Amino acid sequence: MAKTELSGLLPLPDRPAGGRRWWLAFGSLCLLGMGTRLYDLQSPPWVCWDETHFGKMASWYINGSFFFDVHPALGKLLMAGAGHLTGYNGTFAFIAPGSQYNDTNYVGMRALCAALGGGIVPMSFITVHDLTGSLPAATYAALFLTLDVGMTTISRFILLDPILMFFMVAATMFNFKINKYRAFSGRWWLNLALTGLMLGCVLSVKFVGVFVVALVGLYTVADLWSIFCDLSKPLSHTVKHFVARAACLIVLPMATYVLVYYIHDVRITKANDVHGMQGDGWLSAGTQMTLKNNDMFNVSQPKYLAYGSLVTLQTVGSYSSYLHSHNLSYPDWRGANTTAGHAYNLSEVHSVTGFRLKDQNNFWKILPHDEEEVPDWENPYMPPEPVLNGDRIRLVHNTTGRVLAVFHQRALKTSTQMLVGALPERQLQKYQSAFEIQAAQLDDEAQLEAINTTFSLFNPGLRCAVYASQEKLPEWAANQLEITCSKRLTDEGVTWTVHRHINPRLRNVTKHWRRFIPSLPRKFMETHGIITTVNRKLVPSRLQMMNSDHPWMWPVLYRGLHFSMQDPHRVYLLGTPPIWWANLLLLVCSCFIMAFIGYKETRRPAAAAASAASEQDQHARWRRQTGRACLWLLLAWAVHYLPFWTMSRILYFHHYFPALCYSCMLSGVVLDFLLTCLYRQLPEARRAAVYHWLVAVLVAALFYSFYLFHPLCYGMSGPRPKDGTNSTYYHLWWQKSWDF
């Protein structure tokens, strides 16, 4: 029995690749694609746009220095490898866009990205040819990608985008090749395995690689359903296909991703002095013990806490920070944000914040709450008094001498919680500085252990616990995180642990701490927990959202993106306008073409459907294959574009380029279909001449458009278009929103 209609969604093996014309077109496009990307890579000779981030991270890999990034590791590892092989030693600082490279060997890293960007062209050519069996369609698609100045520009710099798109298009190409070969043959297994490997690689570059995973997943579901509905095969045949795809398209990508993480983990072995999100302050104490030059590496400190100990307190979880204070006070907001009639002059209160860097202002002294005077804790002859679960303590800031306190007043940013600050002891009421240690995993009056014991700091007077929020305070608190007192005692941010512990009266131990060094799976889970939390918390400000792109801007080429704003090599990321606008028009045409093909298929007589040799049947088969190609490429474009409409993050123009790859492939298919239909309608005596003239004009227009707009890619100098008609580039200023 024949397969169900769903099998019509899958491409059929048709005219195979090969022949002199095929290789001539393929080779020419390969050379053209590589040439446009690799030309004059040393310009501009300074850091451009996000090279400041990814070049810096490649340097850290070369040096073996730890850093944290929300993107997976593969793209930056490849950049580091290319830089190392071409003589870059990882010492350039990549401080900011515009920093001169001088004698730095940076071209190797740009060349890697350019080569991978150039590789998109031949893979797109093969993908379209496999879907349609049409050499013209494959050639048009590859030309659209080759001669787009935007695709050329984004491939010429040290960025993740060309690496991401290379693996994305590679996964698509191998996926559509699977059904060209006999099931379970050697080539079938090879393409299935390569699809899974490319999926693992694209996920290891950026998490938006999940879009191509979704595309391959949809294709696989359609394929398996078609196999399942083929009643001429036993059920075991479907099971074998399912197991093969599960192994190659689920297990293999996961294994690839974990392998890349392992390489990342063994490569970064030293602590780094970087700041903010890229520092190691995010990590648990156990993970920090694996980093050389870190204060926790081979740490020697007392095991159990005692009164008089100097400690740093770190929140537990995937968004950790240290309890911190300084000489910076709250602004004088007396009378505002008060509750229950209590008001304080906040300008006298030092702010207490969450800080992710190692700093002397992170140290606090643990003292009993009920004793006004305590013995000299530095006296070696004074026996230590242990800190027990359930004890009420006060925390004195080691640098300023002020006491941690809770105020009966709303926090400045998190207004549903109480404000936390630091004041001299004499200015406080006792209930404000009392914190009861509540360690749920310990019995009452059990000793607290550094690193291992987690606890909350509960204020009995106001019945709240010290909480590390994720709200960032303004510049008067050095843009650090707000610490509050929360009545929600189950929140992640109320759980603390002692990180560093100093007490001369206690014996230091070293070997004991090594048991807290996590295994690779635990480090993997910790790192990805942090990545998930950081991505979730990356909420842009109102100003950032005002400057953010909207997804509707991208297909219509509303505006571009500055890569370099310095003369004599100003670079502006903008697509070739005729190509982008043609893409949009042909994308709309594809919907009508699919509707037309569907109509023709439903109206086709049964006699014609039964005939396998007639010219009419061959034409119908060509239509069906074109419809299938349009369907999958349109779906690929939608999967990579539409999700951005739901995102509340900052969006930039470069986010559209993965979808652009599929849009160009779709344009090649639709253009070939329209030209072929026109060819069939023309008189036989003139059709060849008209067709070839149209193709020649089209190809010439593509080359001329690239020539016209190539300065945006390779560098502009002199007056800008907005300065008037004396600018060399005024004739390119087709839209006022293009701010090049």
Side-chain angles (χ1 to χ4, degrees):
M1 183 178 292
K3 295 183 180 182
T4 63
E5 288 300 317
L6 189 56
S7 63
L9 296 177
L10 306 173
L12 301 173
D14 199 1
R15 288 157 280 180
R20 187 172 62 183
R21 291 177 58 196
W22 191 95
W23 283 108
L24 179 62
F26 181 76
S28 300
L29 288 163
C30 286
L31 291 175
L32 187 61
M34 286 296 176
T36 54
R37 272 67 173 172
L38 293 170
Y39 171 73
D40 195 26
L41 275 181
Q42 67 272 16
S43 300
W46 51 75
V47 177
C48 295
W49 195 50
D50 270 358
E51 285 187 330
T52 187
H53 299 303
F54 302 119
K56 188 183 301 178
M57 294 172 189
S59 300
W60 288 332
Y61 273 128
I62 292 172
N63 297 324
S65 299
F66 173 85
F67 67 94
F68 171 79
D69 185 40
V70 294
H71 300 304
L74 181 58
K76 293 157 289 187
L77 282 170
L78 292 174
M79 294 173 188
H84 179 69
L85 291 174
T86 54
Y88 174 56
N89 59 9
T91 57
F92 186 72
F94 287 93
I95 296 174
S99 301
Q100 293 285 339
Y101 281 119
N102 297 322
D103 297 329
T104 304
N105 293 321
Y106 63 95
V107 177
M109 291 186 283
R110 282 187 178 176
L112 168 79
C113 297
L116 294 181
I120 295 170
V121 173
M123 291 191 297
S124 299
F125 179 94
I126 293 172
T127 300
V128 174
H129 191 272
D130 287 341
L131 284 170
T132 63
S134 170
L135 179 59
T139 304
Y140 301 148
L143 278 174
F144 271 51
L145 286 166
T146 302
L147 300 177
D148 179 59
V149 292
M151 287 295 296
T152 304
T153 304
I154 205 169
S155 300
R156 290 170 44 82
F157 297 94
I158 306 170
L159 302 172
L160 293 182
D161 301 87
I163 305 175
L164 171 78
M165 290 187 287
F166 175 85
F167 290 121
M168 176 195 77
V169 176
T172 306
M173 178 185 71
F174 290 123
N175 178 61
F176 288 139
K177 274 185 170 294
I178 294 171
N179 282 325
K180 287 174 63 67
Y181 303 105
R182 181 174 54 85
F184 305 110
S185 64
R187 289 188 175 184
W188 184 90
W189 276 110
L190 177 63
N191 283 282
L192 187 63
L194 287 174
T195 303
L197 179 64
M198 293 301 104
L199 291 178
C201 289
V202 74
L203 282 173
S204 299
V205 176
K206 273 188 172 184
F207 289 120
V208 292
V210 73
F211 296 155
V212 76
V213 174
L215 174 67
V216 172
L218 291 171
Y219 182 89
T220 302
V221 169
D223 196 10
L224 288 173
W225 181 255
S226 173
I227 294 167
F228 174 73
C229 292
D230 184 359
L231 301 183
S232 65
K233 302 290 186 181
L235 183 61
S236 59
H237 182 72
T238 304
V239 173
K240 286 170 62 178
H241 273 276
F242 176 81
V243 172
R245 283 160 173 77
C248 292
L249 302 182
I250 298 177
V251 177
L252 183 56
M254 292 173 61
T256 303
Y257 186 88
V258 173
L259 176 62
V260 170
Y261 177 81
Y262 172 76
I263 297 171
H264 155 85
D265 185 66
V266 299
R267 185 61 222 158
I268 50 173
T269 58
K270 298 183 296 185
N272 204 342
D273 58 355
V274 297
H275 300 286
M277 288 176 55
Q278 293 164 342
D280 57 17
W282 295 78
L283 304 177
S284 64
T287 304
Q288 292 186 37
M289 291 177 192
T290 64
L291 301 176
K292 298 174 184 176
N293 304 333
N294 189 285
D295 63 345
M296 297 300 293
F297 185 73
N298 286 332
V299 66
S300 179
Q301 64 183 23
K303 179 179 179 181
Y304 292 106
L305 304 184
Y307 287 106
S309 291
L310 273 181
V311 299
T312 59
L313 297 170
Q314 184 186 32
T315 50
V316 177
S318 54
Y319 211 74
S320 62
S321 58
Y322 295 99
L323 189 66
H324 180 91
S325 190
H326 34 224
N327 288 317
L328 302 176
S329 299
Y330 288 109
D332 186 6
W333 288 355
R334 178 173 47 189
N337 297 327
T338 59
T339 60
H342 296 272
Y344 301 90
N345 186 349
L346 293 186
S347 63
E348 299 177 1
V349 181
H350 283 183
S351 59
V352 173
T353 60
F355 196 44
R356 294 198 177 93
L357 302 182
K358 307 293 180 63
D359 191 89
Q360 289 301 312
N361 283 330
N362 296 344
F363 279 92
W364 299 80
K365 186 187 298 183
I366 303 177
L367 297 178
H369 179 259
D370 296 329
E371 298 182 24
E372 294 294 335
E373 298 292 336
V374 295
D376 181 8
W377 68 276
E378 295 182 352
N379 185 352
Y381 301 103
M382 183 65 62
E385 182 181 349
V387 177
L388 306 178
N389 186 25
D391 281 3
R392 291 191 179 183
I393 64 169
R394 53 190 168 124
L395 292 172
V396 180
H397 191 242
N398 188 55
T399 305
T400 63
R402 296 197 170 203
V403 180
L404 183 73
V406 183
F407 297 85
H408 208 303
Q409 181 167 341
R410 294 189 182 96
L412 301 185
K413 298 285 286 185
T414 315
S415 59
T416 58
Q417 299 172 7
M418 300 296 181
L419 183 137
V420 172
L423 271 178
E425 179 77 27
R426 65 181 182 276
Q427 297 183 29
L428 293 170
Q429 300 183 45
K430 276 198 170 184
Y431 77 89
Q432 292 180 273
S433 60
F435 295 99
E436 183 178 298
I437 295 178
Q438 296 184 348
Q441 75 272 35
L442 296 181
D443 297 331
D444 290 343
E445 300 188 357
Q447 286 185 271
L448 269 68
E449 184 179 340
I451 297 177
N452 190 37
T453 304
T454 59
F455 55 87
S456 61
L457 296 169
F458 179 73
N459 182 276
L462 295 177
R463 305 201 61 78
C464 60
V466 178
Y467 172 75
S469 79
Q470 306 312 320
E471 294 290 338
K472 187 176 288 188
L473 293 171
E475 291 184 3
W476 50 257
N479 298 117
Q480 295 170 14
L481 301 178
E482 184 176 45
I483 296 293
T484 64
C485 201
S486 172
K487 294 184 180 295
R488 298 177 57 179
L489 306 182
T490 57
D491 286 349
E492 185 182 62
V494 303
T495 307
W496 300 82
T497 186
V498 170
H499 191 227
R500 292 290 283 116
H501 178 205
I502 301 173
N503 194 324
R505 294 183 297 154
L506 298 174
R507 183 174 63 89
N508 291 336
V509 294
T510 302
K511 291 184 178 180
H512 170 76
W513 306 115
R514 294 175 185 169
R515 66 189 180 96
F516 295 105
I517 296 177
S519 61
L520 180 67
R522 283 182 58 193
K523 290 174 75 173
F524 180 89
M525 296 302 295
E526 177 185 347
T527 301
H528 286 78
I530 295 172
I531 289 174
T532 302
T533 304
V534 171
N535 276 320
R536 190 174 64 246
K537 296 290 185 179
L538 284 177
V539 179
S541 66
R542 181 174 298 180
L543 178 61
Q544 289 174 321
M545 288 304 295
M546 288 176 61
N547 295 324
S548 174
D549 278 355
H550 299 284
W552 67 264
M553 298 177 176
W554 302 335
V556 299
L557 208 61
Y558 180 76
R559 67 183 179 193
L561 185 65
H562 288 285
F563 270 28
S564 170
M565 300 180 68
Q566 297 175 238
D567 285 321
H569 289 284
R570 299 196 307 272
V571 178
Y572 188 71
L573 179 66
L574 187 77
T576 303
I579 290 178
W580 283 58
W581 295 334
N583 278 342
L584 188 59
L585 177 63
L586 293 171
L587 187 144
V588 175
C589 287
S590 70
C591 299
F592 290 102
I593 288 172
M594 286 187 288
F596 168 74
I597 291 172
Y599 171 78
K600 295 290 287 186
E601 286 299 304
T602 57
R603 301 290 294 176
R604 192 157 64 105
S611 173
S614 67
E615 182 180 347
Q616 184 180 3
D617 185 71
Q618 291 177 9
H619 183 55
R621 189 169 184 269
W622 168 72
R623 285 200 310 263
R624 289 198 301 273
Q625 197 159 2
T626 300
R628 286 189 293 266
C630 287
L631 173 64
W632 285 110
L633 292 174
L634 180 63
L635 182 62
W637 172 84
V639 165
H640 284 80
Y641 171 60
L642 295 182
F644 288 103
W645 286 86
T646 66
M647 295 183 184
S648 58
R649 56 163 294 174
I650 302 175
L651 299 176
Y652 294 108
F653 179 52
H654 73 100
H655 287 135
Y656 183 69
F657 278 79
L660 176 68
C661 292
Y662 297 107
S663 182
C664 288
M665 294 186 217
L666 179 61
S667 294
V669 175
V670 174
L671 191 59
D672 177 56
F673 180 85
L674 295 176
L675 289 174
T676 303
C677 289
L678 177 63
Y679 176 86
R680 291 175 181 272
Q681 298 301 317
L682 292 172
E684 189 171 350
R686 299 181 180 178
R687 61 173 55 166
V690 172
Y691 176 83
H692 287 105
W693 270 107
L694 282 175
V695 171
V697 170
L698 170 68
V699 172
L702 291 176
F703 275 93
Y704 180 71
S705 298
F706 180 82
Y707 168 77
L708 198 63
F709 284 89
H710 82 275
L712 277 66
C713 172
Y714 297 111
M716 299 175 285
S717 61
R720 302 170 188 267
K722 65 181 180 181
D723 296 334
T725 56
N726 60 334
S727 171
T728 310
Y729 313 106
Y730 186 80
H731 65 289
L732 303 179
W733 201 23
W734 294 3
Q735 290 187 181
K736 298 300 182 183
S737 56
W738 298 349
D739 53 346
F740 59 81

